[in-house]
Amino acid sequence: MSTALTLPARRATPGVFVALALTLAVGWLVVTVDGGQLFNQSTTVSLLHVAAGLGLVAVGQTVVVIGGSLDLSVAYVVSLSTLVAAEAMQGGDAALLPGVGLALLASAAVGLLNGLLVTKAGINAFIATVGVGLLLKGYLDNGYDGPAGRTSPALVQSLGYQRVGPVPVSFLLLLAVAAAVGIVLTRTRFGHHLLAVGGDPQVARLSGVRNDRVLVIAHVLCSLCAGLAGVYLAARLGSGAPRVGTEGLYDLESIAAVVLGGTALAGGRGGVAGTVGGVLLLASIDAILNQLEVDAFVKQVIRGVIIIAAVAVHARRAVRKAGW
Amino acid sequence: MRIAERRLLATRPHRPGTGGLVPILVLLAVLLVLLTVRQPDFLAPSSLMSFLGRSAPIIVLAAGQYFVIVAGEFDLSVGSLVTAQVVVAARLIDSEPSRTWPVVVLLLASGAAVGLVNGLVTTRLRVSSFITTLGMYLILVGAVYLWSDGAPKGGLSEEFRRFGRRAFEDVVLVGRLPFAVLVLLAVAVLAVLLNRSDFGRTLVAAGGNPRTAELSGVRVHHVKTMAFVLSGLAAAVAAILIGGYSGVSFQAGAGLEFGAITAVVLGGVALGGGRGSVVGAMLGALTLETLFTLMNFYGVPGALRTAVQGAIILLAVAVSARRSVRR
């Protein structure tokens, strides 16, 4: 049973990495012809920083999407987390760990609320998480006009700017979180139950899976990841930012990354590795277009087209495999 | 084919309308009572008419979104479509009255075209509509900023703006009758007729169970694509009203997609498709607008309004979810 459940996740992974390799190859060629450099230190570093922020959110999003749910409140959770962390730290190193802990606790609480609304109150996940998002937006808009609090300098130096060669610590954090979540999904009972619930809730329930509990845990994990992204952004920006999540379009972009990575929006199929590929793909497109000094608005148009096209190619492959 | 469709529909006992509307009507009534307590002359014909006029765009959008949602899909592109249309209209008209009608026609045609693309990509290329319309949202926002170099140009003619802000004065019974209310009435009648037509019922069937509908001879791709076209047309109508009422800005349509989807769900339409009526969707939008007006009258600060909105949506949907489970 467990192999049957994990196999589709593995098979879905390579597609996005082929796309990533192609994008990088074509991008490198175009940028070089244009007289620029795609793989120099500074572009690589900024590419990986972009990927780290979006990646943390998207890895969490993968968990709920596999369970057949989704989370549109993540952008506000990111903003909330930056503020909780920065305000708790007050610019001092002493409160570093309590600050991070509080930010994660607040995020987990939002995830718990999302999960309970979806399972116990029976509200559709789309509406439940948009509703919770509105609650958070109200709180943020009411309490904050601009940046607030100060992140501890130690966190700024480590998570915000420290690098190992060209690889930022934040990206290593993403890889670690992705690996951990990947192991949870493929090797633990919770992971198998989650795939079962996403695939067919009725069958899962009849097989003895406690659907509600599995989904609540998934939502808490998702919000925790968003909270972690918030801590990273607080370290990057040096303070709490009430609108950083929404301005980064983390809600919709994270879902796009998840789907690019081959996870089915309907649930029951997919994995974290693909999501990381999807995030890298989005970040690479961004980096290439930046190198070509493409207008910001053109960039958005191109990104829209690429997201649709990539998913369309995916859908075509899936249909052919299914033998339609 | 025709016979197959009819037989499928004949066996569906679920008639759109009636029963599912009770919760939204109760909520609307409660909000209206609260409103009149605070502002006794709110129910006077003229203020009621101007309220309906102001609510017209979101009600029209909810009607369009209803067709997409009942077919089991999403349309996240309508907000950006409204913005794009308002900005495009201003640049094309450039305060020249004679260009009004051609531009109105162009807006309707381009709204339908965007809907057609959404529909074809979703059904033919099998991209989930969430992603299709999200991509379309990115494309439209980027394109409209690009086309106008970052700041809206030109201006709307008075002829264009009258749909959204002028009215027939001295009408019997109601006093002032905004054009927007007439547009709303026309759209509402059309939407209800469509909902009850063969098309409307096949759409509900396609949303409820696409496989069954397909096997019964429904051209699922075809009706779903039509639903997206209707949503695009609704966005064009809403853009004309919004442009008239509040003028040109890049924020013209911001957030309207979530507003419309929320309204539809408030009106008892199930996300995922197959259940609910267009009347419910439009009542949901009216309720949402009533809620905003109520908060306005009670002086709830702007930022807290979103929080109250969120809480009420969660409450309303939770209550109706509970009811449907019991049934």
Side-chain angles (χ1 to χ4, degrees):
Chain A
M1 168 167 171
S2 75
T3 45
L5 280 172
T6 49
L7 259 178
R10 301 237 177 107
R11 218 190 305 146
T13 309
V16 70
F17 286 102
V18 173
L20 177 63
L22 273 176
T23 308
L24 284 176
V26 172
W28 174 78
L29 206 69
V30 174
V31 170
T32 311
V33 168
D34 194 54
Q37 259 190 312
L38 185 57
F39 294 115
N40 63 18
Q41 176 104 348
S42 75
T43 37
T44 312
V45 169
S46 76
L47 186 158
L48 293 178
H49 268 299
V50 170
L54 179 59
L56 287 169
V57 181
V59 165
Q61 190 75 258
T62 313
V63 177
V64 281
V65 172
I66 285 180
S69 188
L70 90 175
D71 189 348
L72 290 169
S73 69
V74 282
Y76 299 104
V77 174
V78 168
S79 305
L80 180 72
S81 163
T82 63
L83 286 165
V84 172
E87 291 202 314
M89 290 174 193
Q90 296 283 7
D93 290 340
L96 197 161
L97 284 179
V100 173
L102 268 180
L104 293 182
L105 203 64
S107 310
V110 176
L112 184 65
L113 177 61
N114 281 333
L116 291 178
L117 286 173
V118 170
T119 56
K120 301 295 176 198
I123 305 179
N124 178 291
F126 186 99
I127 294 295
T129 55
V130 165
V132 169
L134 287 175
L135 289 177
L136 293 176
K137 178 178 177 352
Y139 170 73
L140 293 172
D141 286 356
N142 198 40
Y144 301 93
D145 287 328
R150 243 165 60 72
T151 318
S152 105
L155 189 67
V156 173
Q157 278 159 23
S158 55
L159 186 60
Y161 289 88
Q162 183 71 47
R163 293 203 311 260
V164 180
V167 183
V169 167
S170 55
F171 189 75
L172 295 177
L173 174 69
L174 165 64
L175 290 183
V177 169
V181 172
I183 288 170
V184 166
L185 286 180
T186 51
R187 297 267 181 273
T188 67
R189 187 181 347 185
F190 164 76
H192 294 167
H193 284 180
L194 186 67
L195 277 156
V197 171
D200 192 329
Q202 199 75 20
V203 172
R205 192 176 304 117
L206 293 177
S207 319
V209 175
R210 282 192 276 183
N211 291 20
D212 287 3
R213 213 176 62 168
V214 169
L215 273 180
V216 169
I217 295 174
H219 271 283
V220 171
L221 279 179
C222 173
S223 290
L224 271 176
C225 287
L228 207 53
V231 170
Y232 157 65
L233 285 171
R236 193 75 186 146
L237 301 169
S239 66
R243 281 179 252 303
V244 66
T246 34
E247 276 166 10
L249 270 182
Y250 282 110
D251 37 8
L252 299 178
E253 294 246 329
S254 66
I255 292 177
V258 168
V259 175
L260 280 179
T263 298
L265 255 189
R269 193 158 51 81
V272 193
T275 299
V276 173
V279 167
L280 283 173
L281 181 62
L282 287 176
S284 307
I285 293 167
D286 231 35
I288 293 165
L289 296 177
N290 277 341
Q291 276 298 299
L292 296 173
E293 292 178 356
V294 172
D295 182 287
F297 309 134
V298 180
K299 219 162 72 179
Q300 200 163 359
V301 175
I302 295 178
R303 214 193 288 164
V305 173
I306 289 182
I307 290 175
I308 294 179
V311 176
V313 171
H314 243 301
R316 189 150 289 264
R317 285 161 44 104
V319 169
R320 218 180 300 142
K321 255 179 228 157
W324 270 47
Chain B
M1 164 87 199
R2 273 260 92 117
I3 296 166
E5 262 179 45
R6 289 200 185 278
R7 191 169 309 150
L8 164 76
L9 298 167
T11 54
R12 272 188 80 86
H14 190 85
R15 270 183 67 90
T18 57
L21 295 181
V22 176
I24 189 66
L25 283 172
V26 170
L27 184 58
L28 183 59
V30 169
L31 292 177
L32 282 176
V33 167
L34 285 174
L35 246 178
T36 25
V37 166
R38 181 79 185 197
Q39 198 82 15
D41 53 359
F42 177 78
L43 288 180
S46 64
S47 80
L48 204 57
M49 280 300 134
S50 70
F51 168 67
L52 274 180
R54 258 179 313 171
S55 317
I58 185 73
I59 299 178
V60 170
L61 280 177
Q65 188 76 241
Y66 162 79
F67 289 107
V68 178
I69 287 185
V70 89
E73 306 290 343
F74 283 105
D75 189 349
L76 296 175
S77 69
V78 287
S80 61
L81 183 54
V82 166
T83 305
Q85 298 235 352
V86 169
V87 173
V88 167
R91 177 135 183 212
L92 289 183
I93 292 179
D94 206 8
S95 308
E96 182 69 48
S98 64
R99 293 187 195 150
T100 302
W101 283 105
V103 169
V104 167
V105 172
L106 181 78
L107 291 189
L108 292 172
S110 61
V114 167
L116 185 66
V117 172
N118 280 336
L120 289 178
V121 171
T122 302
T123 57
R124 301 291 161 184
L125 301 182
R126 293 171 197 270
V127 177
S128 130
S129 59
F130 193 97
I131 297 293
T132 309
T133 55
L134 165 62
M136 185 56 86
Y137 163 93
L138 293 176
I139 292 170
L140 285 173
V141 171
V144 76
Y145 272 87
L146 180 70
W147 191 58
S148 48
D149 295 328
K153 290 192 176 52
L156 298 169
S157 62
E158 196 46 46
E159 278 72 12
F160 186 93
R161 295 201 66 172
R162 70 183 166 183
F163 297 111
R165 65 172 175 184
R166 292 273 167 259
F168 287 117
E169 308 291 341
D170 303 323
V171 180
V172 273
L173 289 178
V174 295
R176 196 169 180 278
L177 183 62
F179 291 162
V181 173
L182 295 177
V183 174
L184 173 62
L185 271 178
V187 169
V189 168
L190 270 178
V192 169
L193 287 180
L194 265 175
N195 195 199
R196 307 215 155 170
S197 69
D198 276 2
F199 165 75
R201 299 181 175 209
T202 30
L203 195 61
V204 175
N209 191 337
R211 193 89 183 107
T212 314
E214 188 96 58
L215 293 175
S216 321
V218 173
R219 285 182 293 170
V220 173
H221 287 187
H222 191 78
V223 288
K224 281 196 175 183
T225 306
M226 274 308 294
F228 279 101
V229 171
L230 286 174
S231 177
L233 275 173
V237 173
I240 293 169
L241 296 178
I242 289 174
Y245 187 75
S246 38
V248 187
S249 98
F250 280 142
Q251 298 303 312
L256 284 182
E257 62 282 345
F258 284 119
I261 293 174
T262 310
V264 169
V265 175
L266 266 185
V269 181
L271 285 181
R275 210 148 44 77
S277 74
V278 73
V279 176
M282 291 190 288
L283 283 174
L286 189 63
T287 306
L288 210 54
E289 275 305 305
T290 312
L291 177 66
F292 287 135
T293 314
L294 184 70
M295 287 197 277
N296 224 349
F297 282 157
Y298 278 82
V300 178
L304 269 184
R305 266 179 228 177
T306 33
V308 175
Q309 183 196 352
I312 291 203
I313 290 164
L314 289 175
L315 206 68
V317 177
V319 169
S320 68
R322 201 141 286 261
R323 278 172 46 100
S324 69
V325 166
R326 225 182 294 143
R327 233 182 282 152

